[in-house]
Amino acid sequence: MNTPASPPRRAPGAWWQWLHQLWLNAVAVEDVTGVAVQVYRALIQLPGAAVAVGARWGVEPQYIRMLSAGCEDPVTWLPTAPDWPGGPGLPPSPEAGSGSLSRLYDLSGPERADLALVEGPLLDSKAAVVLECVFPLATGDTAGLWVGLEDLPDAETVERLGEQLAQVADVLMASNERILAARSDERRQARDAFLAEASLQMDASLDVQETLRRVARLAVPAVAEGCAVHLFRPDGRLEPVAVAHVAVTAQERLAAIAYDDAWLNAALCAGAARRDSVVLRGADLAGGPFAPDASGLVFTVSALSVSPLRARGRTLGTLTFLYGGDDDGIADLRTLENLAGRAALAIDTTTLYAQRREHVRLLQRHLLPRALPEVDGLELSAAYEVGDNSLDVGGDFYDVVAAGGKVALFIGDVCGRGAEAAAFTALARHTLRTLLEDGTPPGPALSRLNRVLTDERASRFVTALVAVLTPADGGWDAWIAAAGHPFPLLRRADGEVTEVAAHGLLLGVVPGASYESVRVRLGEGDALIMFTDGLTEARSADGTHFEEHLPAAVRESAGGEDPAAGIVAAASAFRHLGDDDTAVLIARVRGKR
């Protein structure tokens, strides 16, 4: 402790200048203790001051500071009062917002016992009386200032000194209120940023399992050391679907507990029945796998929070966080409930999406043949790829009809997606199938389908391509008719690829339209390739269409074991742009068994 010559006593007229400077400094610090030296140096210069003491406490003292007359800097220490909380010497704490409490003590009288918290520093000084000012900094956070005076001043001086202490207290209370508000704002911004990032991450996937994994990964360690997500099964049982912990060994143990621990299941069921989050700590954890005396636990749990996952009026499950530190590390319940709400909505959305995708998949499957027929002398192959992952059924269709010694192949595309497109797809496919089963030639079959669509006043146009193959000497004769559909390709046995020009108007647009057939001879090893425009319109990153590469892909794939799948795979690998569905249907001539 430095002991220079005593600084001059502060003139009363300079008090307001100093108080203004204190205010300017107080609005810039991050903690009220940042202006401590300035406060104590000012208080020790008050007339007759022998010592200036300050303290701060909650349920127990945090620190005591003291500056004696003739010293430059205050000293600070942590008191060792016994039996806190409830120990002796804590002055009564005013309620937050109620201002300060002031009192004058005579150190020679019995009332000095009320100063137990700071009695030592005061008695060690030359002080005869003490002026006290106690004030709240926040709920459960109290501070006090004491000025020890060498002599008992007159009443006017006591009143003035009391006012000055109260003014200092007002500045410190205002400063602490600003600091708490700033910290609250920082926490709010951090919370909002975390929740926004969590929403982006959870919304980035429409896969249920991936969404659940993202929820767990986001929470650890941003929110807590451990996280578990449980969802209700159809039988009402909670089942863990995602578990995460900062330690790999702990994660394995947590996964085992989350799966079959009866205590945890009961706690989660109770939490799921609530509308708000609940935090379990201390005695609440007794008897469970996270109690301090629990066996086999490889990580420490000081608290556990359970938040119900509720979305669209339904409780989907629970979101559980495990904390290994003290209570300061527990996220506020508002954040937990907000995160649980966003997670529940993301989980519910992905679940509904998956269900609808399955419904769409089933509907799409019913719009296509379950299997292609076995035809002696022909190898038939087909492939279908969904280009748009939306929840709408595509309009591409194909089928093969083997009847009366002939084989009819057709492929088509209904404009657009969705329920209406699916309805016209079913109408077009089943109409063509019925006509071709009855032996209707390709051209008349398309004319009849066009009449059906125009009679229905179809709001969507349809393209189609029909080929009827008839056995001939050394191969097959193919009669081909088209209605606004991409021309089919013919791959000869020697690898040559040519286009079969088959012209015709779109279906469902012009009433009474007629369609003519062209004839192509298919020999041993030749293949007829039919496809929808999703194949040719697939584009690379530089905008090049796959149409330019299609002959090469046909040449390489059409002679393989699954030629249709090979061509679709080549287009898929090429595609960077384009989201139309793709269907490919191939008939390849082989020797008869």
Side-chain angles (χ1 to χ4, degrees):
M1 180 182 303
N2 299 323
T3 57
S6 298
R9 296 297 185 182
R10 180 179 298 277
W15 175 261
W16 300 106
Q17 297 175 352
W18 173 85
L19 192 65
H20 177 66
Q21 188 60 48
L22 175 66
W23 171 262
L24 294 178
N25 293 342
V27 298
V29 297
E30 296 183 358
D31 191 284
V32 291
T33 57
V35 292
V37 173
Q38 184 181 2
V39 169
Y40 295 116
R41 285 179 179 175
L43 295 182
I44 200 62
Q45 295 182 47
L46 293 175
V51 64
V53 179
R56 188 173 182 177
W57 64 93
V59 295
E60 62 183 39
Q62 296 182 27
Y63 61 79
I64 294 176
R65 285 196 179 92
M66 180 189 72
L67 179 63
S68 299
C71 299
E72 182 67 22
D73 296 318
V75 294
T76 304
W77 71 92
L78 179 67
T80 56
D83 302 324
W84 304 109
L90 287 181
S93 301
E95 296 293 332
S98 64
S100 58
L101 292 180
S102 297
R103 183 178 176 185
L104 187 67
Y105 295 90
D106 184 351
L107 291 183
S108 64
E111 60 187 9
R112 82 177 195 184
D114 295 335
L115 294 169
L117 177 64
V118 293
E119 180 183 18
L122 294 170
L123 292 179
D124 291 340
S125 70
K126 298 178 181 180
V129 294
V130 175
L131 187 63
E132 174 188 78
C133 180
V134 177
F135 51 95
L137 291 175
T139 302
D141 186 8
T142 307
L145 292 173
W146 294 265
V147 177
L149 305 173
E150 296 177 353
D151 300 300
L152 177 63
D154 57 51
E156 181 181 352
T157 302
V158 169
E159 182 179 359
R160 176 167 52 82
L161 292 176
E163 289 178 355
Q164 290 174 326
L165 279 183
Q167 290 164 355
V168 174
D170 289 340
V171 172
L172 296 180
M173 285 189 290
S175 176
N176 196 66
E177 183 178 354
R178 178 196 61 78
I179 291 168
L180 293 178
R183 290 176 180 174
S184 176
D185 187 58
E186 289 176 0
R187 287 193 296 269
R188 179 188 60 78
Q189 292 182 22
R191 181 194 67 218
D192 292 347
F194 169 73
L195 292 173
E197 176 63 20
S199 294
L200 288 174
Q201 290 292 327
M202 289 185 288
D203 293 344
S205 174
L206 287 172
D207 178 80
V208 177
Q209 293 301 319
E210 177 59 25
T211 298
L212 294 170
R213 287 191 291 268
R214 285 172 183 260
V215 171
R217 288 199 301 266
L218 280 166
V220 176
V223 175
E225 286 85 347
C227 174
V229 183
H230 287 72
L231 295 183
F232 282 111
R233 292 173 25 166
D235 60 5
R237 180 178 177 271
L238 278 170
E239 180 180 33
V241 290
V243 173
H245 199 279
V246 291
V248 176
T249 54
Q251 181 167 315
E252 296 174 356
R253 176 60 178 151
L254 179 57
I257 293 173
Y259 186 77
D260 61 2
D261 185 82
W263 181 94
L264 180 60
N265 184 71
L268 297 184
C269 288
R274 299 170 58 98
R275 298 195 65 86
D276 54 358
S277 299
V278 61
V279 177
L280 306 178
R281 55 168 67 85
D284 299 328
L285 301 176
F290 307 119
D293 58 351
S295 60
L297 192 62
V298 295
F299 53 94
T300 301
V301 176
S302 62
L304 176 148
S305 68
V306 181
S307 301
L309 292 172
R310 294 181 56 83
R312 300 183 176 95
R314 298 185 302 124
T315 301
L316 308 179
T318 57
L319 178 61
T320 305
F321 294 123
L322 290 87
Y323 307 89
D326 54 28
D327 283 3
D328 290 341
I330 299 179
D332 63 277
L333 294 184
R334 180 184 172 190
T335 299
L336 295 181
E337 290 162 4
N338 201 324
L339 179 61
R342 298 182 188 215
L345 190 60
I347 292 168
D348 193 48
T349 298
T350 53
T351 300
L352 294 175
Y353 179 86
Q355 292 174 348
R356 187 169 177 188
R357 282 296 299 164
E358 179 62 15
H359 296 161
V360 168
R361 188 188 68 81
L362 292 174
L363 178 57
Q364 189 83 64
R365 190 181 71 184
H366 287 297
L367 294 175
L368 299 172
R370 290 184 176 274
L372 299 180
E374 293 285 340
V375 178
D376 192 21
L378 288 178
E379 290 181 354
L380 301 175
S381 69
Y384 190 98
E385 182 177 73
V386 177
D388 185 356
N389 288 322
S390 66
L391 298 180
D392 286 324
V393 181
D396 291 19
F397 63 92
Y398 63 85
D399 207 346
V400 177
V401 176
K406 298 181 179 181
V407 179
L409 302 89
F410 63 88
I411 193 169
D413 187 2
V414 177
C415 174
R417 309 182 70 85
E420 187 179 24
F424 283 111
T425 298
L427 175 63
R429 179 195 167 202
H430 292 295
T431 298
L432 278 178
R433 183 177 180 87
T434 300
L435 292 171
L436 295 171
E437 283 179 336
D438 291 341
T440 306
L446 290 175
S447 298
R448 291 279 298 276
L449 176 58
N450 182 67
R451 187 170 68 191
V452 169
L453 293 172
T454 53
D455 289 347
E456 288 287 333
R457 298 181 180 179
S459 59
R460 298 171 183 265
F461 65 81
V462 180
T463 71
L465 178 68
V466 180
V468 175
L469 277 60
T470 304
D473 292 340
W476 298 73
D477 281 335
W479 292 90
I480 302 171
H485 200 82
F487 296 159
L489 297 179
L490 180 61
R491 181 192 185 278
R492 296 298 184 182
D494 61 4
E496 180 188 5
V497 177
T498 58
E499 195 173 66
V500 179
H503 299 277
L505 295 173
L506 296 169
L507 298 167
V509 178
V510 179
S514 60
Y515 300 88
E516 301 296 331
S517 300
V518 295
R519 175 178 172 273
V520 174
R521 168 58 69 92
L522 300 177
E524 179 80 20
D526 293 344
L528 180 67
I529 298 92
M530 308 163 70
F531 50 88
T532 56
D533 59 6
L535 185 73
T536 55
E537 292 178 0
R539 286 178 292 168
S540 63
D542 62 3
T544 303
H545 285 78
F546 187 68
E547 184 176 14
E548 300 179 19
H549 300 267
L550 182 57
V554 167
R555 190 176 301 110
E556 294 175 5
S557 301
E561 294 184 3
D562 192 349
I567 294 173
V568 169
S572 181
F574 176 86
R575 180 184 289 111
H576 180 77
L577 302 171
D579 57 4
D580 198 4
D581 292 0
T582 299
V584 175
L585 179 62
I586 298 178
R588 185 170 60 190
V589 178
R590 67 181 182 187
K592 293 187 177 182
R593 294 189 293 270

